[in-house]
Amino acid sequence: MSKLTNALAMLDILSARAIVPIDELAQALEISARSVQRLKEELEDAGYVIGTVMGPGGGYQLHSRSQIPPVAFDMKERKILKQALAMIIQHNNSAMGGDFVRAVSKLSQQLNYQDVSNTMAFQSVKLNVDVKQYQEHLELIEAAIETHQRLKLSYKKTHKDRNTYIFEPYELILVNQFWYMMGYDERNRYLSLKVNRIETLTMLNETFRYEAPSNSKGAITEFGYKIKPVQATLIVRNLDFLSEYIWGKNQVITWLDDHRFHMELEFPNEAAAKDFIRKGGANLEVLAPLELRMWIRDEAQKIIAKYD
């Protein structure tokens, strides 16, 4: 591939993952690790901000996807525009299709700047929430994380149960298109709470002593919650677009013909594996593990029984 093609491919990979090891980038682009480092330097010269994360699990991290700062707007105006775009996505007409979602997402990326965080996840399926309140809660949580202030909140644990917390927020994490607030409650339990289930939220005039948590490091990955990972082998037919995404750790795709590919990867948990299988439907065949094959058979029989 040409240097330009490699650079664009590298940006695509970095955009899809939180942190990508240099060796993995080299393997994907079929170039040396040193060539990957040179590509990083050239992309930074072009205006992209790419950080280097050291240690185990480290690699390159894309911090900024826009090389054209929107100088016509101040910070407040950019925040207002990003909120408006988020609401457009949440209320879009499905007839507009994926091209509409991608176009608005690109426009939103052009409003990114180092002092403006991109808190709204763009998705074609909207959450069943008050969008304005959801955005306000995200911004309030971000402010509390930055200033280390406690929050008081009412949380919808189930459709009928509510919990009240005095919470010390540490971070916001996006998992499978849902925002989670991570931190400690008043009983010093490290919890993850779905932001869309927060009904009321108030920032208290109380600060807390921040100590870097270790609880989430092993459980959260860029692919979601790592609970009993599932190593899977599959064959996918007539769903070429699935090959354009990275669905799990150590993903390897081998094309068998123009419309079929062999896929190996580690899903972070059983729920993620099952969700992927539901996306593929009859066009996807699971070769391993056996437990997942048995689950598919049982689910299919239950579905057929309902329509007999």
Side-chain angles (χ1 to χ4, degrees), residues 260-288:
R260 290 189 309 148
F261 59 86
H262 182 274
M263 188 177 191
E264 293 184 12
L265 74 160
E266 179 187 279
F267 289 104
N269 53 63
E270 188 178 274
K274 290 180 178 178
D275 184 58
F276 180 81
I277 291 167
R278 292 187 186 100
K279 292 180 189 296
N283 288 315
L284 189 150
E285 179 185 357
V286 175
L287 303 180

Side-chain angles (χ1 to χ4, degrees), residues 16-20 56-57 61 171-180 182 214-230 246-250 265-270 272:
R17 298 268 297 280
I19 300 172
V20 185
Q61 185 175 37
E171 54 187 337
L172 276 170
I173 295 178
L174 184 63
V175 180
N176 296 334
Q177 299 183 338
F178 285 94
W179 284 102
Y180 287 79
M182 317 288 288
S214 59
N215 306 59
S216 66
K217 290 182 180 178
I220 297 290
T221 74
E222 63 266 40
F223 301 110
Y225 281 103
K226 186 176 180 180
I227 305 170
K228 295 182 180 179
V230 177
I246 299 173
W247 301 94
K249 187 177 179 181
N250 300 325
L265 74 160
E266 179 187 279
F267 289 104
N269 53 63
E270 188 178 274

Side-chain angles (χ1 to χ4, degrees), residues 58 69 78 82 108 123 142 144 168 210 228 246 250 268 297:
R78 290 198 297 272
K82 284 185 70 64
S108 177
Q123 50 191 351
E142 283 190 323
E168 298 178 353
Y210 177 87
K228 295 182 180 179
I246 299 173
N250 300 325
R297 188 191 65 182

Side-chain angles (χ1 to χ4, degrees), residues 124-183:
S124 57
V125 179
K126 63 181 181 179
L127 289 176
N128 185 20
V129 295
D130 181 320
V131 177
K132 184 174 182 294
Q133 183 188 64
Y134 186 57
Q135 185 71 12
E136 288 173 352
H137 285 175
L138 284 168
E139 293 183 355
L140 191 60
I141 293 167
E142 283 190 323
I145 291 172
E146 184 177 349
T147 58
H148 300 159
Q149 285 184 263
R150 291 189 176 94
L151 296 168
K152 182 177 181 180
L153 60 102
S154 173
Y155 187 75
K156 185 168 64 175
K157 188 175 181 181
T158 67
H159 71 281
K160 61 180 181 179
D161 295 327
R162 304 290 186 275
N163 286 353
T164 300
Y165 295 101
I166 302 297
F167 205 79
E168 298 178 353
Y170 271 57
E171 54 187 337
L172 276 170
I173 295 178
L174 184 63
V175 180
N176 296 334
Q177 299 183 338
F178 285 94
W179 284 102
Y180 287 79
M181 175 175 63
M182 317 288 288

Side-chain angles (χ1 to χ4, degrees), residues 188-211:
N188 203 36
R189 298 177 300 175
Y190 195 79
L191 304 177
S192 62
L193 303 179
K194 274 187 173 181
V195 175
N196 62 295
R197 293 191 179 185
I198 296 175
E199 295 189 319
T200 62
L201 184 66
T202 306
M203 185 185 294
L204 302 178
N205 190 24
E206 302 175 6
T207 59
F208 61 90
R209 181 178 177 181
Y210 177 87
E211 295 180 0

Side-chain angles (χ1 to χ4, degrees), residues 241-307:
F241 73 94
L242 291 180
S243 68
E244 299 173 11
Y245 299 89
I246 299 173
W247 301 94
K249 187 177 179 181
N250 300 325
Q251 177 173 301
V252 177
I253 290 177
T254 305
W255 284 91
L256 304 175
D257 54 42
D258 288 346
H259 300 291
R260 290 189 309 148
F261 59 86
H262 182 274
M263 188 177 191
E264 293 184 12
L265 74 160
E266 179 187 279
F267 289 104
N269 53 63
E270 188 178 274
K274 290 180 178 178
D275 184 58
F276 180 81
I277 291 167
R278 292 187 186 100
K279 292 180 189 296
N283 288 315
L284 189 150
E285 179 185 357
V286 175
L287 303 180
L290 178 60
E291 295 81 2
L292 215 49
R293 290 175 59 89
M294 298 292 288
W295 171 79
I296 295 169
R297 188 191 65 182
D298 293 343
E299 282 292 293
Q301 289 175 346
K302 290 175 186 176
I303 293 171
I304 292 170
K306 288 181 182 296
Y307 293 94

